[in-house]
Amino acid sequence: MNKLLITGTTTMITLASVAAHAQSSVTLYGLIDAGLTYTNSQITGTGGGHSNWEMTSNAVQYSRWGLRGAEDLGAGLKAVFTLESGFNLNNGQFSSGNRIFNRQAYVGLSSREYGALTLGRQTDSMVDFVAPLSLTGTEFGGTHFAHPLDNDNLNDSFQINNSVKYMSPDFGGLRFGGLYGFSNLAGGFANNRAYSFGMSYVWGALNFGAGYLQLNSSARTPGQLNTNGAVTDTTGSSLQAARSPTDVPLGVLASSQKTFGAGVNYTFGPAVAGFVYSHSKFAQFFQTGLSGTFQNFEGNFRYALTPAVELSGAYTYSRAGGNGGGGIPHWNQVSGMADYRFSRRTDVYIQGVWQRVSPSGTSPLGVAWINGVTAPSSTSNQVEATVGLRHRF
């Protein structure tokens, strides 16, 4: 009888363990993007501009791997987490040298009825609500299609540390959300903090989104940066302080960055047409009192030629303004891409970008620099072309 009791107890424990396991899930996922890129002009240490053939990682989308998990707590409530690491395929290194999970790292609760509340390193509302309507924020354009220097972060060049984020459920096509990133600094509540909010609405073929992001920092020199604050590094090539050694967005080295944007997509048959506007204002660079703004106007188009072939293109007009002097530049950028899917997971693509900036004057922004390209051009024009392969798992 004792043996039977022991056996029965063991069986019950095993069944309970299986039941608990069935209510939880952990998924390993990732994306690998590799290509060969030609750029017609890049400044080198010897001066002047030189063409460059190079193997590239992340030409369209950032290579990454991650773990995503959920535990069913009952009554429509789940515990959720995501840990995501970006890497450079060329050398196998993390895309951020001091972080393992440099793209996302958060845990929280998700409810079908009330939405999701998460804590950790997360994306802001410009990335969540506006970027999907721009080709730079999607698999149909990505890194090189970004607005000049990714000044509005639509290409997700940086994420927000120390953040609490709320995302609503879907209310008949309407979703909204917000985020707050703490400075984590005693006596410096506003020194490198961030907050963001946005919304989206889907009505039939129409998809609309809007967002706002603000960064505040008391540090305007690299030595004074609060390195435990909301934004401390980038995983891509966002607008930086003359590519400073700190490798941080310019907004962190200004007293503030205020970015807002909105976009709309309309689907008709196999085609999608869209328009996106964004505006970024940077105040008091490097304790100089100088301020500047960027405005971006993007028209984009996608067309599914066949179930396996997708064509996409965008035209972006950007202009800068402010009291920096040296001429106020504006940019014209034309981007195009053709993609062929071997399967749901694997595809090949060819894409190209032409960018022209004028007038150059004596502004430090007076030379062309396509986002994601290793170095700026020596002239007001730059051309990039990439042939690449992507695989998802």
Side-chain angles (χ1 to χ4, degrees), residues 92 182 216 257 292 304 308 331:
F182 289 86
N216 290 100
Q257 174 184 341
W331 291 260

Side-chain angles (χ1 to χ4, degrees), residues 81-371:
F81 76 88
T82 294
L83 302 171
E84 186 173 291
S85 176
F87 60 90
N88 186 323
L89 185 68
N90 294 354
N91 52 28
Q93 294 181 346
F94 294 127
S95 45
S96 177
N98 60 345
R99 287 186 175 89
I100 297 176
F101 298 109
N102 43 44
R103 288 186 52 80
Q104 296 188 86
Y106 64 81
V107 65
L109 296 174
S110 175
S111 165
R112 289 195 304 265
E113 187 175 357
Y114 300 107
L117 182 67
T118 50
L119 301 91
R121 178 174 169 87
Q122 304 175 82
T123 54
D124 64 79
S125 297
M126 288 292 291
V127 174
D128 294 336
F129 295 106
V130 183
L133 306 175
S134 166
L135 288 191
T136 183
T138 70
E139 62 183 295
F140 307 106
T143 303
H144 294 314
F145 282 34
H147 303 157
L149 304 169
D150 197 23
N151 62 81
D152 48 18
N153 198 38
L154 292 188
N155 195 48
D156 195 16
S157 290
F158 62 86
Q159 294 78 39
I160 311 298
N161 302 326
N162 316 323
S163 63
V164 179
K165 181 175 181 177
Y166 172 75
M167 290 289 283
S168 79
D170 189 318
F171 296 106
L174 174 67
R175 295 194 70 196
F176 57 88
L179 168 150
Y180 187 89
F182 289 86
S183 70
N184 279 11
L185 182 66
F189 186 77
N191 185 359
N192 198 358
R193 69 171 177 175
Y195 54 91
S196 184
F197 52 85
M199 57 80 65
S200 65
Y201 182 66
V202 179
W203 182 41
L206 189 68
N207 188 351
F208 172 80
Y212 178 81
L213 167 66
Q214 180 159 337
L215 311 180
N216 290 100
S217 178
S218 299
R220 267 104 52 200
T221 61
Q224 296 177 359
L225 177 66
N226 170 20
T227 57
N228 294 315
V231 180
T232 51
D233 73 342
T234 67
T235 58
S237 54
S238 68
L239 181 58
Q240 299 166 15
R243 299 289 167 167
S244 68
T246 55
D247 189 31
V248 298
L250 183 54
V252 177
L253 298 179
S255 62
S256 70
Q257 174 184 341
K258 300 176 182 179
T259 297
F260 67 87
V264 61
N265 277 178
Y266 186 79
T267 302
F268 48 101
V272 180
F275 177 79
V276 171
Y277 170 79
S278 66
H279 180 284
S280 296
K281 181 178 181 180
F282 302 88
Q284 300 181 10
F285 302 151
F286 305 109
Q287 298 177 329
T288 62
L290 301 179
S291 299
T293 62
F294 288 84
Q295 293 187 81
N296 306 284
F297 306 82
E298 176 193 329
N300 58 66
F301 187 79
R302 297 179 2 228
Y303 184 78
L305 191 62
T306 71
V309 178
E310 184 99 23
L311 306 177
S312 58
Y315 167 73
T316 300
Y317 173 76
S318 302
R319 63 188 182 195
N323 61 353
I328 299 176
H330 60 271
W331 291 260
N332 287 278
Q333 180 169 295
V334 179
S335 312
M337 178 173 168
D339 182 83
Y340 177 78
R341 290 183 177 272
F342 290 111
S343 68
R344 184 175 60 87
R345 294 184 174 184
T346 304
D347 62 311
V348 292
Y349 63 84
I350 180 169
Q351 58 127 271
V353 177
W354 170 81
Q355 183 187 102
R356 176 178 174 82
V357 57
S358 60
S360 57
T362 58
S363 168
L365 300 175
V367 294
W369 194 352
I370 296 171
N371 189 67

Side-chain angles (χ1 to χ4, degrees), residues 8-24 71:
T9 302
T10 303
T11 302
M12 290 177 64
I13 293 173
T14 302
L15 290 174
S17 175
V18 170
H21 177 73
Q23 294 174 348
S24 302
E71 180 188 10

